[in-house]
Amino acid sequence: MIHPTAIIDDKAVIGNNVEIGPYSIVGPDVVIGDDCWLGPHVVVKGPTVLGKGNKIYQFASVGEDCQDKKYHGEPTRLEIGDHNIIRECVTIHRGTIQDQSLTKIGSNNLLMAYVHVAHDCMVGDNVILANNTTLAGHVHVGDWAILGGFTGVHQFCHIGAHAFTAVNSVVVQDVPPYIMAQGHNAVPRTINSEGLKRRGFSKEAIIHIKRAFKTLYRKGLTVEEAVAEIETWQAPELNELIQFVQNSSRGIIR
């Protein structure tokens, strides 16, 4: 299952039923879980842990030193969950000691060609990063978020669960959960109603989310006033939105 031209360091740990293609390189302190597939010319550098069933396509660079002048070779980490698809020429960098020394990607994600995930990013589960999406350092992306092609996200920004960005969006502030954002710089357009339907949100829940969007963005209230009003509705699906907005350090898109 390992091509004879692949170079596997003796300190790497390779699971069962792993396939590694021609001319791929797996460095020391790399752990590759069962049933992973690495195509040709893939480079994985440690400390990096890959879970089960991941597919990494040609010319991807996974676990490389970060592009940060503050980085001086500290032993930082990359952790990737299960059943992710990492397409051609994707680059994923390890963390820095200025944060948690960790870059982390969850499970069941699709990273399309030429995506870049920088140091200290935290990506949840079931996320789609379309072609050429770029996450700067310390970006957090919530579960089920979809970032359209050529989306650029400024460092330290957070993207909420079930959020959606249109192609060529530039995100310089936090995008709350459920929101569809578009533009340079990205602004809120509406809620991701179609995505919510596909994920089983009830009609009533979507109505509450739409009402919350209008309260937050269309009634002329301050963020604090809008959140205070939304809290009185006591709708469970809005708890994540409320907590996200209250915890935002960069401020939400407006």
Side-chain angles (χ1 to χ4, degrees), residues 176-189:
Y178 314 128
I179 300 299
M180 294 188 73
Q182 182 268 334
H184 183 179
N185 296 334
V187 295
R189 296 300 187 187

Side-chain angles (χ1 to χ4, degrees), residues 103-145:
T103 300
K104 187 171 183 178
I105 295 176
S107 298
N108 302 304
N109 299 300
L110 170 58
L111 280 61
M112 296 187 191
Y114 296 96
V115 162
H116 175 62
V117 179
H119 59 88
D120 303 291
C121 287
M122 300 286 169
V123 178
D125 300 329
N126 302 293
V127 169
I128 297 175
L129 304 180
N131 301 76
N132 294 91
T133 290
T134 298
L135 306 183
H138 313 277
V139 167
H140 290 205
V141 181
D143 297 345
W144 297 101

Side-chain angles (χ1 to χ4, degrees), residues 154-159 171-176 186 188 216-217 223-224 244-254:
H154 191 280
Q155 61 186 0
F156 294 101
C157 284
H158 289 196
I159 309 291
V171 178
V172 297
Q173 290 182 291
D174 295 343
V175 179
L216 190 58
Y217 288 114
V223 172
E224 293 75 15
F244 183 98
V245 174
Q246 290 175 332
N247 294 332
S248 173
S249 61
R250 288 189 59 83
I252 61 172
I253 58 172
R254 299 292 287 174

Side-chain angles (χ1 to χ4, degrees), residues 2 9 20 37 39 44 47 71 73 94 117 136 163 207-208 221 232-233:
I2 298 177
D9 192 274
I20 300 177
W37 178 90
V44 184
Y71 180 74
R94 303 188 324 277
V117 179
I207 290 172
H208 286 156
L221 303 175
T232 65
W233 305 344

Side-chain angles (χ1 to χ4, degrees), residues 63-72 74 76 92-98 103 116-120:
E64 187 52 84
D65 298 349
C66 64
Q67 300 176 130
D68 189 325
K69 294 179 71 174
K70 297 188 298 297
Y71 180 74
H72 298 294
E74 298 88 356
T76 57
I92 306 173
H93 292 168
R94 303 188 324 277
T96 65
I97 60 173
Q98 284 74 33
T103 300
H116 175 62
V117 179
H119 59 88
D120 303 291

